[in-house]
Amino acid sequence: MAVSFASRCSRVGRSLMGGLGNNFCNLPSTSSEMTCGSFLSQQQRTFIQMRTVLKVVDNSGAKKVMCIQALKGKKGARLGDTIIASVKEAMPNGKVKKGKVVYGVVVRAAMQRGRCDGSEVKFDDNAVVLVDKQGQPIGTRVFGPVPHELRQKKHVKILTLAGHIA
Amino acid sequence: MWAALRSRYLHPSATSLPSSSLINRPWKLGFLGLNQTFSSSSAESSSKELLSLQEVEKVLSDVRADDVTVIPVGNQCDWADFMVIATGRSSWHVKNIAQALIYKVKQKQKGAKRLVLPSVQGQETGKWIVVDSGRVIVHALDEKARTYYNLEKLWTVKTVQKEPVEDLTKAFVKVRRINNSKKPAQRSA
């Protein structure tokens, strides 16, 4: 599981604008072919919306949930947003069972999220921490890295339960 | 400024304080003693943060919160320096603890043009309220939530968990298996 922090200048490289043509001319010919290839192999990650399957990274008992509604945002949920999800896969003895409708906070998203200093954060997977309607986490521990954005979004409780903060 | 305070805090002096019997840790008393000597010389240190550790403890003792625990997490995480965990006897008591802390911040900032309030999460339910004031984070829980989440175990065990990783590098040493079979050795025959 990797976290990648991309600065804004490397992100712009995905769109071949006229201004960047200068940079490519300066590079030797073999490496410019490589950069073109890496641009084509990069996926365009998007929001977490209905039918998105997310991993559950706390010890509440659920393993996979499917998003049924993103609470804020017309296009979908991003890092730090709350979603309504249905539990698709669960551990046999856990606090939540399969088929239950739960709320969740997105703690890792494959779509990049910009930070105030200009850098961007993105993770390798989509992960969620289950909460109840009032925002109390259902589980007692959170696994894997969680980003700093949760503090701004008023999810300090999840930050205190987490072990590693990206 | 903070760096200077922190380095001095790491070498606590055993000063005895007549204050609260709620906390009995030697490093705690040492830090408080040093803080008192510093506060007279530099008045800006307390105004940088919304709430300092001393004020938090005073408010908690005024509100009569049970089982106040202070955990220094400055070495484990970089977004907070101290975590204060307090228990309330009922949900109303927990809400009252949060309200008292906010009131203290408002009092501290009296006369300023704009009030900077700490962010409070969980105010509607009285189960777990977090007051986030910069470097000091106060958790007000009721007893059931405290045993359920077990925050002290989480934050005091973290430092221990990092050490076993170093032993793993020594663990990759090839060891010959002990031959416990009852058969006589074939080479002797």
Side-chain angles (χ1 to χ4, degrees), chain B residues 96-109:
Chain B
N96 213 22
I97 294 173
Q99 288 295 325
L101 287 165
I102 297 171
Y103 183 62
K104 177 78 194 160
V105 173
K106 280 189 192 169
Q107 266 189 326
K108 222 173 123 179
Q109 290 179 9

mmCIF file with all atom_site columns, all heavy atoms in Angstrom, chain B residues 96-109:
data_model
loop_
_atom_site.group_PDB
_atom_site.id
_atom_site.type_symbol
_atom_site.label_atom_id
_atom_site.label_alt_id
_atom_site.label_comp_id
_atom_site.label_asym_id
_atom_site.label_entity_id
_atom_site.label_seq_id
_atom_site.pdbx_PDB_ins_code
_atom_site.Cartn_x
_atom_site.Cartn_y
_atom_site.Cartn_z
_atom_site.occupancy
_atom_site.B_iso_or_equiv
_atom_site.pdbx_formal_charge
_atom_site.auth_seq_id
_atom_site.auth_comp_id
_atom_site.auth_asym_id
_atom_site.auth_atom_id
_atom_site.pdbx_PDB_model_num
ATOM 1   N N   . ASN B 1 96  ? -20.975 18.790 29.902 1.00 0.00 ? 96  ASN B N   1
ATOM 2   C CA  . ASN B 1 96  ? -20.580 19.908 30.741 1.00 0.00 ? 96  ASN B CA  1
ATOM 3   C C   . ASN B 1 96  ? -19.079 20.123 30.738 1.00 0.00 ? 96  ASN B C   1
ATOM 4   O O   . ASN B 1 96  ? -18.597 21.259 30.760 1.00 0.00 ? 96  ASN B O   1
ATOM 5   C CB  . ASN B 1 96  ? -21.048 19.639 32.177 1.00 0.00 ? 96  ASN B CB  1
ATOM 6   C CG  . ASN B 1 96  ? -21.409 20.921 32.873 1.00 0.00 ? 96  ASN B CG  1
ATOM 7   O OD1 . ASN B 1 96  ? -21.694 21.906 32.226 1.00 0.00 ? 96  ASN B OD1 1
ATOM 8   N ND2 . ASN B 1 96  ? -21.375 20.894 34.194 1.00 0.00 ? 96  ASN B ND2 1
ATOM 9   N N   . ILE B 1 97  ? -18.323 19.021 30.688 1.00 0.00 ? 97  ILE B N   1
ATOM 10  C CA  . ILE B 1 97  ? -16.857 19.138 30.626 1.00 0.00 ? 97  ILE B CA  1
ATOM 11  C C   . ILE B 1 97  ? -16.465 19.891 29.366 1.00 0.00 ? 97  ILE B C   1
ATOM 12  O O   . ILE B 1 97  ? -15.633 20.814 29.389 1.00 0.00 ? 97  ILE B O   1
ATOM 13  C CB  . ILE B 1 97  ? -16.209 17.745 30.646 1.00 0.00 ? 97  ILE B CB  1
ATOM 14  C CG1 . ILE B 1 97  ? -16.456 17.042 31.968 1.00 0.00 ? 97  ILE B CG1 1
ATOM 15  C CG2 . ILE B 1 97  ? -14.721 17.846 30.389 1.00 0.00 ? 97  ILE B CG2 1
ATOM 16  C CD1 . ILE B 1 97  ? -15.986 15.609 31.988 1.00 0.00 ? 97  ILE B CD1 1
ATOM 17  N N   . ALA B 1 98  ? -17.090 19.521 28.239 1.00 0.00 ? 98  ALA B N   1
ATOM 18  C CA  . ALA B 1 98  ? -16.765 20.195 26.971 1.00 0.00 ? 98  ALA B CA  1
ATOM 19  C C   . ALA B 1 98  ? -17.146 21.669 27.037 1.00 0.00 ? 98  ALA B C   1
ATOM 20  O O   . ALA B 1 98  ? -16.387 22.545 26.604 1.00 0.00 ? 98  ALA B O   1
ATOM 21  C CB  . ALA B 1 98  ? -17.488 19.502 25.819 1.00 0.00 ? 98  ALA B CB  1
ATOM 22  N N   . GLN B 1 99  ? -18.320 21.953 27.611 1.00 0.00 ? 99  GLN B N   1
ATOM 23  C CA  . GLN B 1 99  ? -18.770 23.341 27.710 1.00 0.00 ? 99  GLN B CA  1
ATOM 24  C C   . GLN B 1 99  ? -17.829 24.163 28.577 1.00 0.00 ? 99  GLN B C   1
ATOM 25  O O   . GLN B 1 99  ? -17.535 25.318 28.282 1.00 0.00 ? 99  GLN B O   1
ATOM 26  C CB  . GLN B 1 99  ? -20.181 23.391 28.319 1.00 0.00 ? 99  GLN B CB  1
ATOM 27  C CG  . GLN B 1 99  ? -21.267 22.914 27.395 1.00 0.00 ? 99  GLN B CG  1
ATOM 28  C CD  . GLN B 1 99  ? -21.406 23.817 26.204 1.00 0.00 ? 99  GLN B CD  1
ATOM 29  O OE1 . GLN B 1 99  ? -21.230 25.032 26.298 1.00 0.00 ? 99  GLN B OE1 1
ATOM 30  N NE2 . GLN B 1 99  ? -21.684 23.239 25.068 1.00 0.00 ? 99  GLN B NE2 1
ATOM 31  N N   . ALA B 1 100 ? -17.341 23.555 29.658 1.00 0.00 ? 100 ALA B N   1
ATOM 32  C CA  . ALA B 1 100 ? -16.437 24.277 30.555 1.00 0.00 ? 100 ALA B CA  1
ATOM 33  C C   . ALA B 1 100 ? -15.133 24.616 29.855 1.00 0.00 ? 100 ALA B C   1
ATOM 34  O O   . ALA B 1 100 ? -14.579 25.715 30.034 1.00 0.00 ? 100 ALA B O   1
ATOM 35  C CB  . ALA B 1 100 ? -16.157 23.422 31.795 1.00 0.00 ? 100 ALA B CB  1
ATOM 36  N N   . LEU B 1 101 ? -14.634 23.697 29.019 1.00 0.00 ? 101 LEU B N   1
ATOM 37  C CA  . LEU B 1 101 ? -13.392 23.970 28.296 1.00 0.00 ? 101 LEU B CA  1
ATOM 38  C C   . LEU B 1 101 ? -13.592 25.094 27.292 1.00 0.00 ? 101 LEU B C   1
ATOM 39  O O   . LEU B 1 101 ? -12.745 25.980 27.150 1.00 0.00 ? 101 LEU B O   1
ATOM 40  C CB  . LEU B 1 101 ? -12.916 22.703 27.582 1.00 0.00 ? 101 LEU B CB  1
ATOM 41  C CG  . LEU B 1 101 ? -12.330 21.641 28.502 1.00 0.00 ? 101 LEU B CG  1
ATOM 42  C CD1 . LEU B 1 101 ? -12.243 20.313 27.791 1.00 0.00 ? 101 LEU B CD1 1
ATOM 43  C CD2 . LEU B 1 101 ? -10.960 22.057 28.982 1.00 0.00 ? 101 LEU B CD2 1
ATOM 44  N N   . ILE B 1 102 ? -14.737 25.086 26.603 1.00 0.00 ? 102 ILE B N   1
ATOM 45  C CA  . ILE B 1 102 ? -15.003 26.151 25.634 1.00 0.00 ? 102 ILE B CA  1
ATOM 46  C C   . ILE B 1 102 ? -15.120 27.486 26.355 1.00 0.00 ? 102 ILE B C   1
ATOM 47  O O   . ILE B 1 102 ? -14.635 28.520 25.892 1.00 0.00 ? 102 ILE B O   1
ATOM 48  C CB  . ILE B 1 102 ? -16.285 25.842 24.839 1.00 0.00 ? 102 ILE B CB  1
ATOM 49  C CG1 . ILE B 1 102 ? -16.096 24.563 24.030 1.00 0.00 ? 102 ILE B CG1 1
ATOM 50  C CG2 . ILE B 1 102 ? -16.632 26.971 23.900 1.00 0.00 ? 102 ILE B CG2 1
ATOM 51  C CD1 . ILE B 1 102 ? -17.360 24.090 23.395 1.00 0.00 ? 102 ILE B CD1 1
ATOM 52  N N   . TYR B 1 103 ? -15.784 27.461 27.527 1.00 0.00 ? 103 TYR B N   1
ATOM 53  C CA  . TYR B 1 103 ? -15.947 28.697 28.302 1.00 0.00 ? 103 TYR B CA  1
ATOM 54  C C   . TYR B 1 103 ? -14.597 29.252 28.712 1.00 0.00 ? 103 TYR B C   1
ATOM 55  O O   . TYR B 1 103 ? -14.367 30.462 28.699 1.00 0.00 ? 103 TYR B O   1
ATOM 56  C CB  . TYR B 1 103 ? -16.813 28.384 29.519 1.00 0.00 ? 103 TYR B CB  1
ATOM 57  C CG  . TYR B 1 103 ? -17.125 29.587 30.368 1.00 0.00 ? 103 TYR B CG  1
ATOM 58  C CD1 . TYR B 1 103 ? -17.857 30.650 29.836 1.00 0.00 ? 103 TYR B CD1 1
ATOM 59  C CD2 . TYR B 1 103 ? -16.703 29.669 31.677 1.00 0.00 ? 103 TYR B CD2 1
ATOM 60  C CE1 . TYR B 1 103 ? -18.140 31.760 30.605 1.00 0.00 ? 103 TYR B CE1 1
ATOM 61  C CE2 . TYR B 1 103 ? -16.976 30.777 32.449 1.00 0.00 ? 103 TYR B CE2 1
ATOM 62  C CZ  . TYR B 1 103 ? -17.701 31.816 31.908 1.00 0.00 ? 103 TYR B CZ  1
ATOM 63  O OH  . TYR B 1 103 ? -17.981 32.918 32.675 1.00 0.00 ? 103 TYR B OH  1
ATOM 64  N N   . LYS B 1 104 ? -13.675 28.336 29.064 1.00 0.00 ? 104 LYS B N   1
ATOM 65  C CA  . LYS B 1 104 ? -12.342 28.768 29.478 1.00 0.00 ? 104 LYS B CA  1
ATOM 66  C C   . LYS B 1 104 ? -11.617 29.437 28.316 1.00 0.00 ? 104 LYS B C   1
ATOM 67  O O   . LYS B 1 104 ? -10.945 30.445 28.498 1.00 0.00 ? 104 LYS B O   1
ATOM 68  C CB  . LYS B 1 104 ? -11.557 27.535 29.952 1.00 0.00 ? 104 LYS B CB  1
ATOM 69  C CG  . LYS B 1 104 ? -10.149 27.819 30.344 1.00 0.00 ? 104 LYS B CG  1
ATOM 70  C CD  . LYS B 1 104 ? -10.064 28.436 31.710 1.00 0.00 ? 104 LYS B CD  1
ATOM 71  C CE  . LYS B 1 104 ? -8.677  29.010 31.921 1.00 0.00 ? 104 LYS B CE  1
ATOM 72  N NZ  . LYS B 1 104 ? -8.605  29.965 32.942 1.00 0.00 ? 104 LYS B NZ  1
ATOM 73  N N   . VAL B 1 105 ? -11.788 28.877 27.109 1.00 0.00 ? 105 VAL B N   1
ATOM 74  C CA  . VAL B 1 105 ? -11.135 29.468 25.936 1.00 0.00 ? 105 VAL B CA  1
ATOM 75  C C   . VAL B 1 105 ? -11.719 30.848 25.652 1.00 0.00 ? 105 VAL B C   1
ATOM 76  O O   . VAL B 1 105 ? -11.013 31.806 25.342 1.00 0.00 ? 105 VAL B O   1
ATOM 77  C CB  . VAL B 1 105 ? -11.301 28.552 24.704 1.00 0.00 ? 105 VAL B CB  1
ATOM 78  C CG1 . VAL B 1 105 ? -10.777 29.222 23.471 1.00 0.00 ? 105 VAL B CG1 1
ATOM 79  C CG2 . VAL B 1 105 ? -10.563 27.256 24.927 1.00 0.00 ? 105 VAL B CG2 1
ATOM 80  N N   . LYS B 1 106 ? -13.043 30.960 25.797 1.00 0.00 ? 106 LYS B N   1
ATOM 81  C CA  . LYS B 1 106 ? -13.688 32.261 25.551 1.00 0.00 ? 106 LYS B CA  1
ATOM 82  C C   . LYS B 1 106 ? -13.199 33.298 26.549 1.00 0.00 ? 106 LYS B C   1
ATOM 83  O O   . LYS B 1 106 ? -12.948 34.448 26.205 1.00 0.00 ? 106 LYS B O   1
ATOM 84  C CB  . LYS B 1 106 ? -15.205 32.110 25.690 1.00 0.00 ? 106 LYS B CB  1
ATOM 85  C CG  . LYS B 1 106 ? -15.875 31.521 24.477 1.00 0.00 ? 106 LYS B CG  1
ATOM 86  C CD  . LYS B 1 106 ? -17.378 31.620 24.629 1.00 0.00 ? 106 LYS B CD  1
ATOM 87  C CE  . LYS B 1 106 ? -18.062 30.796 23.575 1.00 0.00 ? 106 LYS B CE  1
ATOM 88  N NZ  . LYS B 1 106 ? -19.486 30.660 23.831 1.00 0.00 ? 106 LYS B NZ  1
ATOM 89  N N   . GLN B 1 107 ? -13.056 32.853 27.814 1.00 0.00 ? 107 GLN B N   1
ATOM 90  C CA  . GLN B 1 107 ? -12.573 33.778 28.842 1.00 0.00 ? 107 GLN B CA  1
ATOM 91  C C   . GLN B 1 107 ? -11.173 34.254 28.540 1.00 0.00 ? 107 GLN B C   1
ATOM 92  O O   . GLN B 1 107 ? -10.822 35.409 28.707 1.00 0.00 ? 107 GLN B O   1
ATOM 93  C CB  . GLN B 1 107 ? -12.551 33.051 30.187 1.00 0.00 ? 107 GLN B CB  1
ATOM 94  C CG  . GLN B 1 107 ? -13.782 33.234 31.001 1.00 0.00 ? 107 GLN B CG  1
ATOM 95  C CD  . GLN B 1 107 ? -13.567 32.659 32.385 1.00 0.00 ? 107 GLN B CD  1
ATOM 96  O OE1 . GLN B 1 107 ? -12.853 31.664 32.537 1.00 0.00 ? 107 GLN B OE1 1
ATOM 97  N NE2 . GLN B 1 107 ? -14.142 33.274 33.370 1.00 0.00 ? 107 GLN B NE2 1
ATOM 98  N N   . LYS B 1 108 ? -10.342 33.309 28.073 1.00 0.00 ? 108 LYS B N   1
ATOM 99  C CA  . LYS B 1 108 ? -8.952  33.626 27.787 1.00 0.00 ? 108 LYS B CA  1
ATOM 100 C C   . LYS B 1 108 ? -8.853  34.657 26.677 1.00 0.00 ? 108 LYS B C   1
ATOM 101 O O   . LYS B 1 108 ? -7.944  35.476 26.650 1.00 0.00 ? 108 LYS B O   1
ATOM 102 C CB  . LYS B 1 108 ? -8.249  32.339 27.341 1.00 0.00 ? 108 LYS B CB  1
ATOM 103 C CG  . LYS B 1 108 ? -6.881  32.154 27.911 1.00 0.00 ? 108 LYS B CG  1
ATOM 104 C CD  . LYS B 1 108 ? -6.375  30.800 27.541 1.00 0.00 ? 108 LYS B CD  1
ATOM 105 C CE  . LYS B 1 108 ? -5.068  30.928 26.796 1.00 0.00 ? 108 LYS B CE  1
ATOM 106 N NZ  . LYS B 1 108 ? -4.507  29.642 26.418 1.00 0.00 ? 108 LYS B NZ  1
ATOM 107 N N   . GLN B 1 109 ? -9.790  34.570 25.741 1.00 0.00 ? 109 GLN B N   1
ATOM 108 C CA  . GLN B 1 109 ? -9.716  35.455 24.589 1.00 0.00 ? 109 GLN B CA  1
ATOM 109 C C   . GLN B 1 109 ? -10.627 36.653 24.725 1.00 0.00 ? 109 GLN B C   1
ATOM 110 O O   . GLN B 1 109 ? -11.074 37.207 23.736 1.00 0.00 ? 109 GLN B O   1
ATOM 111 C CB  . GLN B 1 109 ? -10.104 34.676 23.335 1.00 0.00 ? 109 GLN B CB  1
ATOM 112 C CG  . GLN B 1 109 ? -9.057  33.661 22.978 1.00 0.00 ? 109 GLN B CG  1
ATOM 113 C CD  . GLN B 1 109 ? -9.463  32.888 21.765 1.00 0.00 ? 109 GLN B CD  1
ATOM 114 O OE1 . GLN B 1 109 ? -10.443 33.235 21.123 1.00 0.00 ? 109 GLN B OE1 1
ATOM 115 N NE2 . GLN B 1 109 ? -8.732  31.859 21.448 1.00 0.00 ? 109 GLN B NE2 1
#
